[in-house]
Every structure is written in structure tokens, then in C-alpha cells.
Amino acid sequence: TLESRSRANLGLIRKIEQALERNEFALHYQPKVDCRAGRVVGFEALIRWNHPVLGMRMPGEFLPLIEGSELAIRIGDWVIATALAQMVAWKKQGLDLAISVNVAANHLQQPDFLPQLRNKLAACPEIPPDRLELEVVESAALEGVAQISQLIDDCQALGVRFSLDDFGTGFSSL
């Protein structure tokens, strides 16, 4: 029934929240390759949930349940902080590579997004801000075009790069 499915989803949402508290999430890094030069130019951060019983869970199994929620924002903050920490670790090993992370629309639209991003970047002064690329899903960018556009300008003023993810698959699909 709808009620039992709703209860199950609430239980799963609570487990996702506990997973964040228990540090069960991990980022995996998919290389981004410049095919002409034949070299790795950066990575895309991909979240995984290392569930203590079920093992490694893919994002499609848990992110849709929290879409648009405060928990999604908390996880988004964790992803950005973790990606920056990884860049610091790589830098200490002599690697200077960019990481792109996906950012949810409701996360970007938070009034404190820019100050929090500024603080995270300031905590990692050895990482040039242009090594962080925020990927916004095309549909999210179109939801609040004026606000998102201003935020993109503000983030770019910090040096952070932006890209549209899944461009051409939604509104601008050919």
C-alpha cells in the first residue's frame, strides 16, 4: 500500500541520515581524460554508500529518496568538503588535479551556499579554487535561472568553475 511504502521510505531516509553520521559514504573518482593529449585532466566525484549489511550502494538507490531535502544539502556539503580534502591529499603527493562535483538545485539556492563554499575554499588555501568544478543538472539550472545565474557569477568570481551536467537531455534536448 501507499502507506507502507511511505513508512519504508521514511525508514530508509533515517538510515541515510545515520549513514552520513557514521561516515559510511565514500567518494569514488572517475577520471576525466583529454583524448587529444591522452592525459588525465581531472576527476568527477561519485558518491557511494558503503552500507554495513548490503555493501556498496549506487547513488540511484538512495539519492532520489532525499532529493530536495535538508539531508541532500548536508550530503552535498559533505561531498564538496571531501573532494577538497582529497585534492589537498593529492597535492601533498605532487598531483594537481581538478575535481568536479554534482550540486543539487536546492543546495545551490540556499542563502548560505556561497559563504559556506568560501569558507571551505579558505580552509584549503593550497588548492586553487579553479580546481573545483560544480556541475549543475540542466533542469536545476533552469528552475531558478536568475538566482542560479547570479550564484554562478559569484562562484566564478571566487575562481570556482561551473558546468551543466546532462546538458541536452532535458529542456534543451534536440
Side-chain angles (χ1 to χ4, degrees):
T1 69
L2 184 59
E3 184 180 325
S4 63
R5 202 174 325 136
S6 185
R7 266 196 314 271
N9 282 347
L10 285 175
L12 187 52
I13 290 168
R14 179 65 190 131
K15 288 180 181 174
I16 295 167
E17 188 171 32
Q18 290 170 343
L20 181 61
E21 294 164 2
R22 294 176 183 159
N23 204 25
E24 294 175 2
F25 290 108
L27 291 183
H28 291 214
Y29 299 95
Q30 178 176 306
K32 293 170 105 176
V33 178
D34 178 339
C35 292
R36 289 188 180 154
R39 64 183 180 90
V40 174
V41 295
F43 291 90
E44 179 171 5
L46 305 170
I47 192 169
R48 300 291 184 263
W49 178 8
N50 190 11
H51 191 283
V53 175
L54 302 174
M56 201 61 70
R57 307 283 80 191
M58 300 300 279
E61 297 177 58
F62 58 92
L63 290 181
L65 291 170
I66 62 168
E67 190 173 320
S69 73
E70 185 270 335
L71 181 54
I73 294 166
R74 289 177 44 211
I75 289 176
D77 284 335
W78 177 87
V79 167
I80 293 170
T82 302
L84 286 168
Q86 182 63 64
M87 283 190 274
V88 169
W90 284 339
K91 186 87 166 188
K92 289 177 181 173
Q93 297 172 359
L95 298 171
D96 185 17
L97 295 166
I99 295 181
S100 61
V101 298
N102 291 309
V103 182
N106 68 316
H107 191 184
L108 280 175
Q109 294 167 344
Q110 293 302 303
D112 63 345
F113 180 83
L114 188 63
Q116 283 195 20
L117 180 61
R118 191 178 288 119
N119 290 341
K120 286 179 181 75
L121 292 168
C124 303
E126 61 271 65
I127 302 301
D130 70 346
R131 296 298 188 264
L132 179 63
E133 180 178 63
L134 302 178
E135 290 189 2
V136 184
V137 175
E138 171 196 349
S139 57
L142 293 173
E143 283 174 15
V145 143
Q147 181 183 0
I148 297 290
S149 177
Q150 182 60 54
L151 180 69
I152 289 171
D153 289 346
D154 293 343
C155 288
Q156 287 176 327
L158 293 176
V160 174
R161 295 179 299 139
F162 265 86
S163 67
L164 282 179
D165 197 20
D166 297 335
F167 184 76
T169 61
F171 180 79
S172 64
S173 175
L174 295 176

